[in-house]
Amino acid sequence: MTSGEKRVEIEKELSFGPVHPALIEPYRIRLFVNDEIVEDCELNINMAYRGIEKLFDGLPVERALLIAERVCGICSHVHAWNSVRVIEGGLKIDVPPRANYIRVITQEMQRITSHLILFGHAFEVVGHETFAMRSFLLRESFMDLISYVGGNRVMPSVPIIGGIRPRADLTESLKRVILERIDEFEEKYKGYVARIIEDPLVMSRLTGIGFLTKEDAIKFHATGPTGRASGWDYDVRTKMDEYKPFDFNVITDESCDTKARIVVRALEIFESLKIIRQAVKNLPEGPVVNRSWRAEEMDFTTALLEAYRGELMHSYGLDSQGRIRNYKIRTPTPTNLAAMEHACIGDHVTEAILTIASCDPCLTCCTRAEIVDSGKSFVLSDLEIIRKYGWRK
Amino acid sequence: MEDVPLFVLGLIASSIVAAAIGVLYSLVLPGIERKVQARIQQRIGPPILTPGFWSVLKFGYKKRVDPNAQMPRLYRSLVYFGIGIVVLLFLFTTPYWWAVLGWGSILGIAGLLKLEEVLYVLMGSQSQSFLSTGMPVPDIAKGSKHIGIKREFVEQHSGERALKMMAIGSLPLYLALLVPFAMAKSTMIRSVVAMQNPGYIMSSSWLSAPLPSSPVLFTLPGVLAAIVYFVGYVMLLNEKPFSILKAKIDLIEGGVLEYASKLRAYYYIMRNVLMFALSSIFVTLFIGIPFDPFMPVMMVLNLALSLLLPIMLAALVAFSPILTFRQIYPAAIGLSAIGVLALIISLGV
């Protein structure tokens, strides 16, 4: 605490976890409160460590894809896609336009399911079970469509290096089904959003809590809808070549509160529908995969992608045999965590959990490494690990 | 004085019949509530008997788990006290109890309800589950910006919330309860029923079914008080939108968190009987149909009309979020104002 900061007296500490009963995520929340008001918040992750980055080391790059997809069940496609974008960028592998379109379609379908899951969780935390269940019901349309495209609901495995799996190519009948389904979905979804906005009780729970200013969002690098709900118009999709053929808006809101985070996501679903429609209607003819590449030594390469919760980074290098070295993943969640801790302050205890859920309800992907040394445990950042132990050769 | 043994015999018989039917019937109510809620949410929902009856039976057969409460015996006994309080509360709807030591009055009902509320404060202050501070996570070893701060169990926080709800949350219910008594210009339940249903008080045949001629519910202060009573009913049952005592998102289950196996079964019985007792009191005071074990038609009518509040509760729960104290305080003040208005009008009537 600096000398300029106001010292706050804390009455007591309330702690929840390591698995939160409502969010069902492995993290521990420590709230420092005065009566009901949260004066400070600590979010402790590292309650579940999978060591997924270590699993990549030494694997042939084609097999890495299978693991990358399993970083998260909700964001499976975005991890798989970004994983192949690293090698495609590093080795300059051309991807057929048709494959890019189908990758974008799958990405936007999964973005819709991800946002609807967030609504489900957020409304469960608000205590409105009907809205939560309706959200999961709406999500089913897109879970079905994802399985029609990729063959699986959760792990569609659409991208491969150089394109997409041939079985994920869209037939004319599937294109028709997608267009019909999204029309039906849009009709129902409009009604759902209208009912949420018109519900004064729900709005009273969402409005004016969990403030995160634009300056704080930038400071904590709270990307994705969390940052956009604070008025920061940062969206990696606007810089991506794959998204250049599509017309869509970056939704922002200046309200900076929990309601804004819900509204931004609600409106982003309409933008995703717009992108899917454009992609299906203008789907280019041609091959869906480029097989003319071979794995060779590649420098440490980084790829950024707009995941459903914010900016996602994958980076790795390849050795001379095409095996992976130093795979690093930075999901949007670690940077959102700091924003969540900050946004909770000043709210009631019950609202603090809602603020966390509105920023990012899924935290498992962010735990990286815990070093246990002489009985003491330390959580180190990637940079600290590199400084202390050096690059793995 | 010769009538005293007969009265005691009648009191015992009516209490046994009423308690048995009341407890059994109350075990069906959660199932109906959950079914209505599920239908609103386009789900099939559980079988009617599962949430109330079978779950109680199931918990009755679970292995005993001792609570980690500060005073485990006191904590365990609270649920037995609770059952006693809510059963006694329900018995006030039976005519025999109206004459016992003058307890069949607004004072008896309000006093028992207040006791029931105090139980949640005590439960919250006693319970110490492993789900929060008790969890073996090296919080202190990891360090913190705030050192030496009192670490509180979530149940204790629930106890503090229960105290706040006692102070303000349940006020509307008591105001609404006053209205029928104010209209009858008496503190006794008998007078309230007599005002609405004079035929019942004069009836001597056990097969007769005297219907109320002027129910309080069909008057302006009655309607206002009924609305306030319903919201107070939701508050007292700690159901959404007023379930802040046991909000799953932060307090998990609140003070009742450590009730497991048989104690959990008893807690369910306590909650279910409270749900039925408050409904039955509503039917007695606002419609004028008491639960008379010696007049089967009146008893069945009371049972049937007692479904009204749980069904309305289910619909409210399905469409409501959990409110925080930011919303609860203004809501309680607004409802209290409506309750006071109903009281003023009823005094005029």
Side-chain angles (χ1 to χ4, degrees):
Chain A
M1 185 177 288
T2 60
S3 58
E5 282 181 63
K6 190 184 156 195
R7 188 171 180 83
V8 182
E9 290 299 325
I10 309 286
E11 183 193 328
K12 61 189 175 190
E13 176 195 331
L14 281 175
S15 46
F16 313 93
V19 174
H20 192 276
L23 298 176
I24 322 172
E25 283 293 314
Y27 62 105
R28 185 159 175 86
I29 307 170
R30 296 175 75 186
L31 298 177
F32 299 94
V33 300
N34 267 335
D35 188 17
E36 280 286 332
I37 307 295
V38 176
E39 300 290 359
D40 207 347
C41 169
E42 276 181 22
L43 280 174
N44 294 323
I45 52 170
N46 288 306
M47 299 296 160
Y49 174 57
R50 294 187 295 173
I52 206 157
E53 285 169 339
K54 183 69 186 160
L55 289 177
F56 286 105
D57 252 9
L59 279 185
V61 66
E62 301 90 334
R63 287 181 64 188
L65 185 63
L66 295 173
I67 299 175
E69 197 173 29
R70 278 151 184 80
V71 171
C72 177
I74 303 169
C75 314
S76 54
H77 173 76
V78 73
H79 283 286
W81 187 13
N82 212 25
S83 177
V84 298
R85 284 179 80 238
V86 174
I87 185 170
E88 286 165 2
L91 298 181
K92 305 277 181 287
I93 300 167
D94 286 330
V95 180
R98 187 177 176 89
N100 267 337
Y101 270 58
I102 294 171
R103 285 176 179 186
V104 168
I105 290 170
T106 318
Q107 166 88 343
E108 294 309 315
M109 281 181 181
Q110 216 172 48
R111 187 184 307 280
I112 292 170
T113 64
S114 170
H115 285 1
L116 287 170
I117 272 197
L118 187 131
F119 294 162
H121 276 297
F123 288 120
E124 207 180 332
V125 171
V126 167
H128 204 301
E129 280 180 13
T130 305
F131 280 161
M133 293 198 182
R134 204 56 62 85
S135 171
F136 283 113
L137 196 66
L138 281 168
R139 180 174 172 264
E140 280 306 300
S141 327
F142 278 94
M143 294 306 284
D144 284 347
L145 284 179
I146 288 170
S147 79
Y148 296 161
V149 175
N152 282 315
R153 284 159 57 90
V154 178
M155 305 278 169
S157 305
V158 171
I160 52 173
I161 300 166
I164 59 160
R165 284 177 207 284
R167 67 164 157 74
D169 195 6
L170 297 190
T171 59
E172 283 306 312
S173 58
L174 187 51
K175 280 162 69 178
R176 252 197 327 275
V177 169
I178 292 172
L179 290 174
E180 280 168 14
R181 287 285 178 93
I182 60 174
D183 286 344
E184 282 171 25
F185 169 84
E186 195 171 20
E187 197 63 34
K188 289 180 192 165
Y189 179 69
K190 273 181 187 165
Y192 174 69
V193 172
R195 282 178 58 190
I196 293 170
I197 291 168
E198 287 162 12
D199 192 318
L201 281 180
V202 171
M203 281 295 123
S204 73
R205 281 296 314 277
L206 300 177
T207 311
I209 62 159
F211 272 105
L212 183 74
T213 61
K214 185 179 176 182
E215 290 71 31
D216 286 331
I218 294 169
K219 181 176 132 192
F220 296 122
H221 200 69
T223 54
T226 308
R228 290 195 285 274
S230 296
W232 183 24
D233 59 345
Y234 181 77
D235 190 329
V236 182
R237 287 180 294 177
T238 54
K239 300 172 192 164
M240 286 172 62
D241 289 339
E242 291 91 332
Y243 276 89
K244 279 198 177 136
F246 308 112
D247 172 36
F248 66 98
N249 299 314
V250 175
I251 306 290
T252 56
D253 194 321
E254 306 287 335
S255 311
C256 308
D257 60 358
T258 300
K259 187 193 80 184
R261 288 190 277 277
I262 300 287
V263 167
V264 162
R265 284 183 170 91
L267 297 177
E268 277 189 0
I269 288 182
F270 288 111
E271 295 302 313
S272 293
L273 291 173
K274 208 158 93 181
I275 294 171
I276 296 170
R277 274 202 191 95
Q278 292 172 56
V280 172
K281 283 178 184 165
N282 306 324
L283 189 67
E285 292 300 326
V288 291
V289 62
N290 167 18
R291 306 265 189 203
S292 58
W293 63 274
R294 53 189 293 274
E296 54 196 49
E297 192 164 353
M298 183 181 84
D299 280 344
F300 199 68
T301 310
T302 297
L304 295 176
L305 189 55
E306 183 70 20
Y308 320 130
R309 315 280 160 77
E311 184 190 79
L312 170 72
M313 184 205 81
H314 278 241
S315 61
Y316 55 83
L318 296 181
D319 64 12
S320 55
Q321 293 174 316
R323 289 174 187 275
I324 286 180
R325 289 288 174 256
N326 294 323
Y327 204 114
K328 293 287 163 208
I329 303 171
R330 196 200 62 218
T331 55
T333 309
T335 52
N336 279 338
L337 278 175
M340 289 176 202
E341 285 184 345
H342 185 77
C344 286
I345 296 171
D347 293 337
H348 283 212
V349 173
T350 315
E351 291 161 347
I353 313 290
L354 173 61
T355 299
I356 291 167
S358 74
C359 289
D360 196 337
C362 175
L363 307 180
T364 35
C365 57
C366 66
T367 300
R368 286 291 156 259
E370 186 160 357
I371 311 293
V372 180
D373 186 9
S374 317
K376 291 179 181 174
S377 69
F378 305 94
V379 181
L380 301 180
S381 68
D382 291 349
L383 193 64
E384 287 167 323
I385 292 169
I386 292 162
R387 277 189 188 148
K388 191 168 183 184
Y389 298 101
W391 286 97
R392 282 167 291 186
K393 302 291 180 193
Chain B
M1 287 301 285
E2 292 92 52
D3 289 345
V4 172
L6 200 64
F7 173 76
V8 172
L9 208 66
L11 180 72
I12 293 169
S14 92
S15 301
I16 291 170
V17 173
I21 294 174
V23 170
L24 279 176
Y25 185 68
S26 72
L27 297 181
V28 184
L29 292 182
I32 294 170
E33 185 203 342
R34 292 275 298 276
K35 200 78 180 172
V36 172
Q37 209 178 316
R39 290 296 178 189
I40 290 170
Q41 291 166 349
Q42 298 180 350
R43 292 185 289 121
I44 295 169
I48 299 272
L49 285 179
T50 301
F53 184 76
W54 293 117
S55 65
V56 165
L57 207 66
K58 182 188 79 177
F59 279 114
Y61 283 100
K62 290 260 182 189
K63 187 184 163 193
R64 179 180 159 154
V65 180
D66 287 324
N68 188 35
Q70 296 178 35
M71 296 159 79
R73 277 190 186 171
L74 172 65
Y75 184 67
R76 277 200 297 268
S77 64
L78 289 174
V79 75
Y80 302 121
F81 277 121
I83 292 177
I85 289 166
V86 292
V87 170
L88 197 57
L89 190 66
F90 164 62
L91 289 179
F92 281 147
T93 59
T94 62
Y96 266 93
W97 278 85
W98 296 345
V100 178
L101 301 172
W103 272 35
S105 66
I106 176 78
L107 296 176
I109 296 174
L112 286 174
L113 284 176
K114 220 56 192 167
L115 267 181
E116 203 272 338
E117 286 185 79
V118 172
L119 284 184
Y120 285 100
V121 180
L122 293 175
M123 285 171 183
S125 64
Q126 285 296 311
S127 179
Q128 292 184 336
S129 76
F130 63 91
L131 283 177
S132 53
T133 305
M135 187 62 77
V137 175
D139 280 341
I140 295 171
K142 271 180 146 175
S144 167
K145 274 192 283 181
H146 308 284
I147 299 163
I149 305 288
K150 184 179 98 180
R151 307 180 80 217
E152 200 175 67
F153 287 87
V154 284
E155 297 96 312
Q156 288 164 359
H157 196 67
S158 168
E160 287 165 23
R161 284 183 181 176
L163 208 57
K164 286 179 192 167
M165 288 300 280
M166 251 182 85
I168 189 160
S170 52
L171 184 64
L173 182 94
Y174 296 107
L175 284 169
L177 267 177
L178 278 173
V179 170
F181 291 95
M183 287 174 78
K185 298 193 173 32
S186 165
T187 57
M188 306 308 288
I189 300 173
R190 184 184 170 83
S191 309
V192 174
V193 175
M195 175 190 72
Q196 301 174 77
N197 196 349
Y200 168 74
I201 298 294
M202 287 184 284
S203 167
S204 54
S205 163
W206 68 278
L207 264 176
S208 62
L211 293 176
S213 53
S214 53
V216 169
L217 187 62
F218 298 150
T219 62
L220 177 64
V223 170
L224 291 176
I227 294 167
V228 177
Y229 184 94
F230 171 63
V231 181
Y233 169 79
V234 181
M235 284 181 174
L236 224 64
L237 283 172
N238 302 320
E239 277 294 342
K240 276 190 288 181
F242 304 105
S243 59
I244 190 104
L245 298 194
K246 51 168 195 172
K248 182 185 162 193
I249 48 172
D250 51 8
L251 303 185
I252 305 156
E253 266 280 279
V256 299
L257 191 58
E258 280 209 283
Y259 285 132
S261 61
K262 280 195 178 64
L263 290 174
R264 169 88 15 197
Y266 296 145
Y267 164 65
Y268 281 163
I269 291 173
M270 171 187 139
R271 191 192 166 280
N272 298 344
V273 176
L274 178 66
M275 183 190 272
F276 174 55
L278 287 171
S279 301
S280 187
I281 287 171
F282 176 79
V283 177
T284 308
L285 296 181
F286 285 79
I287 304 178
I289 299 177
F291 185 94
D292 190 340
F294 298 139
M295 287 179 80
V297 181
M298 295 298 275
M299 190 174 72
V300 170
L301 272 176
N302 184 290
L303 287 175
L305 290 169
S306 295
L307 280 175
L308 266 177
L309 291 190
I311 289 172
M312 283 164 65
L313 172 74
L316 184 72
V317 167
F319 288 115
S320 298
I322 295 171
L323 299 182
T324 64
F325 283 109
R326 270 190 227 274
Q327 293 95 23
I328 290 174
Y329 285 150
I333 291 167
L335 284 163
S336 301
I338 298 174
V340 170
L341 180 69
L343 198 59
I344 292 167
I345 301 172
S346 66
L347 287 171
V349 171

